[in-house]
Every structure is written in C-alpha cells, then in structure tokens.
Amino acid sequence: MICYQLCCANGHTFEGWYRDSTAFARLKQENLLSCAICGTAKVEQALMAPAIVKGRSHPKQMEPSKPEAMPQQPEAPPAPQQSEPVVPDNLISALRQIRAAVEENCENVGSNFADEALRIHHGEAPERSIYGDMTASEREMLEDEGVDVLPLPWVRKTDS
C-alpha cells in the first residue's frame, strides 16, 4: 500500500491510500479520484517528503526539518498547451534537496538495488539505507517479498 497526500482545486488536503503508484495513476487518468471533503474531481498529488527507512539495529534520530516558506508568486495566465509538462522551479528545488539528503544518508548500490534490498530484508546483509536502480519486474518482486521501497524522481543536480 502507498499513501499519497492529495489536494483539490478548492484547497482541501487529504490522504489517499492505493495498492501501488500504478493504481493511483490509473484512477487519476480515468478521472475516478475525488476530494474527500467537497467531492470535486479536480484532484492532484501534493508535494510530500519521502520516508527513507533506516536500519533497525541503530536508528538515527533525525529531527523533522521545518518547511521553508515558499515565496508567493503572482498568478500568471495559463500557458498554451505543451507536449511536455512544465515543472515549477520550487518543485525542482525541493526534489534536488531530496536527492542531496538521499545521497548524504544512503549508500548507492546502483543496478544491484533489488538484490541488495532483498538481502537486507532477509538478514543476509547489514541493515542500512540504500538507493539505486531497479526494473519494474524487480520492483514487483520486492513488493511480493514484502520489501518496502520508495521510488523517487531523480532530478539532475543542476541545470548546467
């Protein structure tokens, strides 16, 4: 199961629980989502901080960081339809901060992610926070084994 923080066009925020990210995407594409408060069908996924699981043997206590105030920007007229979505600068900045936190606190195991996550889950490797790449079939295998994983959008460090 995966929990998403959602918000509607009227500003209501609420949680939605889905089997997986694919189920959420399918429901959104078929316009089957609605606000739990007002019922509007204009529902979007809100920006959320990821939960990165630390090893159980020596959990590192981290104080929650206070969200930084985002400057209000004047409302711009709607942009013409484009083939690729435009991602706001503040979202890119937040994703870069997430990437930096992951790189600082987790071990990059590259394409061995699924194998290493399974070894950690079975107690065959030391518990630690890891990140890397996996295929859709590897992700499905990990879910079947009961291994919690959190896919993250991996943005470039800079635009240069």
Side-chain angles (χ1 to χ4, degrees):
M1 294 291 286
I2 188 166
C3 177
Y4 286 129
Q5 189 71 13
L6 304 172
C7 62
C8 78
N10 296 322
H12 301 121
T13 58
F14 55 97
E15 288 183 347
W17 288 85
Y18 304 92
R19 180 170 183 252
D20 54 28
S21 59
T22 305
F24 172 81
R26 182 182 53 79
L27 291 170
K28 179 158 176 48
Q29 182 178 8
E30 295 175 10
N31 293 322
L32 296 175
L33 299 175
S34 63
C35 175
I37 299 165
C38 68
T40 183
K42 294 181 181 177
V43 174
E44 296 295 328
Q45 190 175 351
L47 182 61
M48 297 172 41
I52 299 186
V53 178
K54 296 290 180 186
R56 287 179 232 146
S57 57
H58 301 289
K60 182 178 178 182
Q61 295 296 327
M62 295 178 65
E63 292 186 27
S65 61
K66 294 183 180 178
E68 296 179 18
M70 300 236 182
Q72 293 291 336
Q73 296 183 1
E75 185 123 342
Q81 287 286 10
Q82 298 178 351
S83 58
E84 291 190 29
V86 176
V87 181
D89 290 340
N90 57 355
L91 179 56
I92 295 293
S93 176
L95 291 171
R96 284 190 181 127
Q97 289 175 1
I98 291 168
R99 177 180 177 153
V102 168
E103 289 177 329
E104 182 178 324
N105 295 296
C106 306
E107 179 184 340
N108 184 357
V109 294
S111 61
N112 296 327
F113 179 82
D115 293 332
E116 194 64 16
L118 196 56
R119 290 182 62 228
I120 292 169
H121 181 72
H122 289 178
E124 299 168 358
E127 288 197 33
R128 63 204 190 279
S129 299
I130 62 172
Y131 71 101
D133 303 313
M134 68 178 158
T135 64
S137 61
E138 288 173 328
R139 179 176 179 192
E140 187 175 312
M141 179 270 301
L142 290 174
E143 287 177 357
D144 290 344
E145 288 284 331
V147 179
D148 292 327
V149 295
L150 179 66
L152 295 172
W154 206 245
V155 295
R156 293 184 309 229
K157 289 182 180 183
T158 63
D159 284 334
S160 55

